[in-house]
Amino acid sequence: ISEQRLAESALRTSTALLERTGRVAGVGGWEMDLETGAINWSSQTRRIHEVDANYTPSLETAISFYAPAARPVIEAAVGDAIDSGGGWDLELPFVTASGRSIWVRAVGEVEREEGRPRRLIGAFQDITERREMAMRLAEAAEQVHDLYDNAPCGYYSVDAQGRFIRINALALAWLGCSREEVLHRL
């Protein structure tokens, strides 16, 4: 077997591995040639966008998937990265080709050659489930705090050293103290 065939086989194996791991992790990849404007998306990136396997975006169509309020944010991040040579890591609202509203994490950076920006490369992930869980958790925490603060009896919490870390208004009234006088004190 020639070296070329071995190299081609290794490349196919590596490409297949990247596609499988991207699918399992739910992370897509992308790149954009800054000279030609050509954009290449991995299969997972296409799945997140809900486009067919042959879909080839332009920069304009790629940006158009972001929710209208998010478009200036991603455009500014890309522009700043090209100007500064840095990158971005953003969580933004997004609308898929089928019209589904989701949240995505868009990460990218500039690759330079001979000191000039040549390519943008990055990763793309649907983070809707994580965002929804975080929102539900925040809502539940808010409800617990509301119950704690407005309970018809005095409540307080202390840390392992016995310092007050939380106390509701009724308990403060019973003690005749302000919150500042009590919190974080033994």
Side-chain angles (χ1 to χ4, degrees), residues 8 53 82 85 88 109 115 121 131-132 140 152 161 169:
E8 289 171 355
I82 292 170
W88 65 91
E109 66 180 24
I121 60 164
R131 293 278 304 205
E132 288 173 351
Q161 290 76 37

Side-chain angles (χ1 to χ4, degrees), residues 141-153:
E142 187 176 318
Q143 289 173 350
V144 168
H145 290 304
D146 184 54
L147 287 170
Y148 191 102
D149 291 339
N150 297 302
C153 54

Side-chain angles (χ1 to χ4, degrees), residues 115-135:
R116 294 186 9 214
R118 295 291 184 185
R119 266 178 302 289
L120 298 175
I121 60 164
F124 196 74
Q125 184 177 26
D126 180 346
I127 58 165
T128 306
E129 188 175 319
R130 180 180 60 80
R131 293 278 304 205
E132 288 173 351
M133 278 194 292
M135 191 168 52

Side-chain angles (χ1 to χ4, degrees), residues 3-24:
E3 279 188 43
Q4 182 178 353
R5 284 189 183 178
L6 285 173
E8 289 171 355
S9 176
L11 180 59
R12 279 192 301 276
T13 300
S14 179
T15 301
L17 175 64
L18 283 173
E19 285 293 329
R20 286 192 317 269
T21 56
R23 188 176 56 251
V24 168

Side-chain angles (χ1 to χ4, degrees), residues 61-77:
T61 58
I63 297 291
S64 73
F65 283 97
Y66 289 90
R71 291 175 195 158
V73 176
I74 191 69
E75 288 170 339

